[in-house]
Amino acid sequence: MPNKFNLLGILKFGVNLTFDICSFVIICFLLFPQITYAQEQAQASASIPAQPSSQELVRQAWEASGQNNLKRLEELVQQALESYGEAAMEQQKKLTAFPARGEEGKYQTLNDVATCLFVRAEAMMNAGKTEEARVRFQEIIDDYSFAQAWDPRGWYWSVAEKSQASIDVLTGKAREEPQEEPQKGLRTKPYIHTPGTAKIADYKQYGELLDVGTENYRYEIKDMTGLNRAVGEGIYPNTGAIFTNPRYKEVRKEGRLKGSHWDFVNSDDLEAAYFKWVTAPEPWGVRLFYLGIIFEKAGMHYEALRAYHALVVHFPTTVAWTYWQTPWYPGQAAIAKIRHILRMHPELNLQDEGMKITVRNGLDNDAKNDIIMTSPGAIVENGILRKAPLGEIKRRVGEGEVQLVQYVNGHWQLWVGGKPFVIKGMTYAPTKIGQSPDKGTLENWMEMDSNHNGLLDGPYEAWVDTNRNGIQDAEDPSVGDFQIMKDMGVNTLRLYHHPMKPNKDLLRKMFKEYGFRVIMGDFLGKYAIGSGASWSEGTDYENPRHRKNMMESVQRMVMEFKDEPYILLWVLGNENNYGVASNADKKPQVYFQFVNEAAQWIKSVDSNHPVAVNNGDTLFLDIFAQYAPDVDIFSANVYRGDYGFGSFWDQVSETAAKPAFITEYGCPAYARHLTLEEAEEAQAAYHRGNWMDIEGNTAGYVKGRGNALGGVVFEWIDEWWKNYEPYYHDRKSDAIGPFPGGYYFEEWFGITSQGDGSHSPFLRQLRKSYFVYKEMWNR
């Protein structure tokens, strides 16, 4: 987003940082309460407990490892074994499989002891004690097979699995055994025995829409028979017709309906998935959403539209919960899905009219105080995506080459050099395979010259493996990523001025030769960067010392770069509202007040570049709007699905009255149930849907909000270290996500790949997403 942060690298070397999706790597420090300024003073004289908890020993073990203090690390491991070893083994003996989700904490002692042992083995490995490290890793596998360590992204990871991955690296097995991709399967299609009689249901014909636009909205059915016929089998309220479908009994007899309905979300057996979800034990608001997805996959566009619209009409107040235990509103998502289908299929000649679900108090992750107001709208013919004149300019923000412009109709544009500028951005962090911040080996791409020929590897020596044969043929010249991205249509890169120092000479040359501009950021205390806080205490936005350090960091950034010709705008933070070594999630008002102070200072010395805040989706958007009025742009890292960003544009416009852009969005080119070719297609479709949503909400589009300034793709190339071992192109994931495979496969988000890794960091295989953007960004 960018936001994958590595503690081991920062502790060991002080500078290593890289980015990824709402996450950072396997660090246990966040298990402990963050320390406020008052607590910091009170604890200064507190005595140290005679026997630290197992969690405290884990924290100290990571710290000792980061300091390369093997002697201290050995003492901590021995203390963990003496104090908790016996209890850990007893917990291991009670298990025959990993604990169920939510039960992991009952085995905290087992988890912590194994984690301490893992930290020691990793430190030995990094210190070159290869054989001893291998023995220690094997002991973990043999004795602690069900131990798990906590990943602050919201899940546990298997200590034994990561130990085996490290052994594979030590023995060279990581290169020898490539993982097989799934076999291409047969995709079935739902059979509808009694299809709908109407392409799109006109609900006014069959009932009455009452109190439209209010929290008391409801739909009263007057003609049940007519409505059932119109929507067709399987779509509410036609719930019983499925049992007369002859294929239902046959599919059930064949055993294709066994298992949980959630197992069918990513199945290619769409016929079985349809039957399973019609009869699923979920609220109809949830069922209709997943039925819509099934119909979409089957290319049954009218059925999908009817399913999604039925959800909006009948069940707009449904609230469900994500994997991350945050509220999810299927009604709003269904409206976004409807618009996505209509954008992707103009041949349907349809458009939505008047659909809107507003959730008051929906920005605080507490569904109990929600007030949901519904206008169900309609789907009507004549679906041309039209643009209208913007009218006169009523407001300008900024005095220099880069300005924000607002028109009389409320729409916004970013202007550069007197012309509209849409951000077509890229997250660019080319990482050589084998390098990792976890190992302290990640190099700054702005300085990396692996073959010592005076040219930077990624920017100027990358080459496209045109026929994907893994060989640089005569028709594959070394042209560099900058040229490849320019051909694609990229005009902006997003960078941070710390902890790795930007190469100003390179950026000037990049701007002069390729025209790329830079969104320059300061982490504003995220990951404790710039605040002077330790990782374990975290940035406290009420701590005067932390605030002083962060303000000085912002000042250094602005004063160093404000006159550089490539600067487009400033961005403050990186999903700080989610926490992670800061208390912005606990004290969002204090955080956004400080953001506003930083923005005020920037504007006092630089009126030539707008200021944005980087948020995690729209959490605390209302607090931002109240306490950070001097921030010009609301930007966010948003991952919602192939249909785009849903209610994001409406929420920003209505709550903050600001222009906006997406600082990170993207999708993996891997899914367990798809071949690599199919997964590439799915990734390309995801990116197309996301960009079309951004484009449809830029200034001038009649059906859009008009506040979108563009977006930054995540990311340019696969980074193999994301799931810990940098020599594996890993195909494992522990976290559910809104992607084609249903999971975060973090090592597969690139729109280009590094092939089998043998020609890293130079080889580029262009995925289909690249060509989607080349088409859309150059027209």
Side-chain angles (χ1 to χ4, degrees), residues 296-310:
E296 270 193 271
K297 290 180 180 178
M300 302 166 69
H301 305 309
Y302 290 112
E303 286 80 359
L305 290 169
R306 291 201 299 271
Y308 290 134
H309 198 204

Side-chain angles (χ1 to χ4, degrees), residues 590-644:
V590 175
Y591 165 66
F592 284 118
Q593 285 175 325
F594 182 71
V595 168
N596 200 62
E597 290 179 26
Q600 288 176 331
W601 184 89
I602 292 174
K603 291 184 172 186
S604 73
V605 298
D606 179 22
S607 59
N608 297 326
H609 303 101
V611 180
V613 67
N614 175 242
N615 211 57
D617 213 291
T618 55
L619 178 64
F620 305 136
L621 172 62
D622 50 343
I623 299 176
F624 159 78
Q626 184 175 356
Y627 292 101
D630 293 293
V631 175
D632 302 310
I633 303 168
F634 183 83
S635 67
N637 303 339
V638 186
Y639 296 83
R640 295 194 183 185
D642 62 355
Y643 54 86

Side-chain angles (χ1 to χ4, degrees), residues 45-355:
S45 59
S47 61
I48 300 174
Q51 181 174 304
S53 67
S54 61
Q55 291 172 298
E56 174 63 14
L57 290 173
V58 169
R59 188 190 69 79
Q60 292 185 31
W62 283 116
E63 207 163 57
S65 174
Q67 297 164 356
N68 292 317
N69 192 339
L70 293 181
K71 181 179 178 181
R72 174 58 177 159
L73 185 52
E74 184 64 35
E75 291 172 356
L76 291 167
V77 168
Q78 292 307 317
Q79 189 174 2
L81 291 172
E82 290 170 7
S83 301
Y84 303 104
E86 186 175 340
M89 293 305 297
E90 287 299 317
Q91 290 185 354
Q92 168 71 24
K93 290 176 183 177
K94 292 178 181 179
L95 293 169
T96 57
F98 288 110
R101 179 170 167 78
E103 300 292 314
E104 300 94 342
K106 294 181 179 180
Y107 301 88
Q108 190 69 53
T109 302
L110 168 64
N111 296 339
D112 291 341
V113 169
T115 301
C116 286
L117 294 171
F118 178 81
V119 175
R120 178 181 65 176
E122 277 286 298
M124 289 176 175
M125 178 180 176
N126 294 335
K129 298 184 177 183
T130 303
E131 182 55 30
E132 190 174 356
R134 189 194 65 76
V135 171
R136 296 305 186 189
F137 283 129
Q138 190 61 51
E139 288 174 352
I140 295 170
I141 295 168
D142 294 339
D143 297 337
Y144 302 93
S145 57
F146 297 122
Q148 298 180 94
W150 172 251
D151 189 313
R153 289 170 289 177
W155 61 83
Y156 285 86
W157 51 270
S158 167
V159 180
E161 178 187 302
K162 300 303 183 188
S163 296
Q164 184 60 59
S166 294
I167 289 176
D168 290 345
V169 170
L170 289 170
T171 60
K173 196 175 180 181
R175 287 279 189 186
E176 294 171 3
E177 295 186 1
Q179 301 173 61
E180 294 182 4
E181 69 169 291
Q183 295 296 313
K184 187 176 179 68
L186 178 65
R187 171 169 286 191
T188 63
K189 185 175 181 178
Y191 169 70
I192 308 298
H193 184 58
T194 53
T197 58
K199 290 181 178 179
I200 299 299
D202 180 359
Y203 282 93
K204 291 182 179 180
Q205 289 187 23
Y206 311 106
E208 190 172 358
L209 303 164
L210 302 173
D211 294 323
V212 171
T214 74
E215 62 185 289
N216 298 316
Y217 161 79
R218 62 200 182 279
Y219 178 61
E220 290 187 0
I221 301 174
K222 304 293 186 180
D223 180 4
M224 179 68 77
T225 301
L227 182 57
N228 281 339
R229 288 175 179 167
V231 297
E233 169 197 312
I235 298 175
Y236 189 89
N238 193 345
T239 59
I242 187 175
F243 299 107
T244 65
N245 187 327
R247 287 294 301 159
Y248 175 69
K249 292 182 179 180
E250 293 174 22
V251 171
R252 186 172 62 177
K253 186 177 180 181
E254 292 166 359
R256 289 160 55 196
L257 300 183
K258 293 180 180 179
S260 166
H261 50 290
W262 294 109
D263 297 335
F264 289 76
V265 170
N266 294 305
S267 171
D268 275 343
D269 189 350
L270 299 178
E271 182 180 41
Y274 162 65
F275 291 136
K276 195 72 178 180
W277 270 97
V278 172
T279 57
E282 300 289 340
W284 264 104
V286 175
R287 275 195 262 179
L288 285 165
F289 186 82
Y290 284 98
L291 284 169
I293 289 177
I294 292 165
F295 290 137
E296 270 193 271
K297 290 180 180 178
M300 302 166 69
H301 305 309
Y302 290 112
E303 286 80 359
L305 290 169
R306 291 201 299 271
Y308 290 134
H309 198 204
L311 164 53
V312 174
V313 170
H314 297 288
F315 305 102
T317 60
T318 298
V319 180
W321 294 87
T322 69
Y323 178 88
W324 312 96
Q325 294 304 299
T326 56
W328 170 60
Y329 304 95
Q332 288 185 329
I335 292 175
K337 276 287 194 179
I338 289 170
R339 291 171 179 164
H340 170 68
I341 293 173
L342 301 184
R343 279 195 299 265
M344 298 294 285
H345 298 282
E347 71 277 7
L348 299 178
N349 194 35
L350 298 171
Q351 65 176 326
D352 66 289
E353 272 193 358
M355 285 187 197

Side-chain angles (χ1 to χ4, degrees), residues 3 20 121 348 525 661 736 740 750:
N3 46 331
D20 194 5
L348 299 178
F661 70 96
I736 293 172

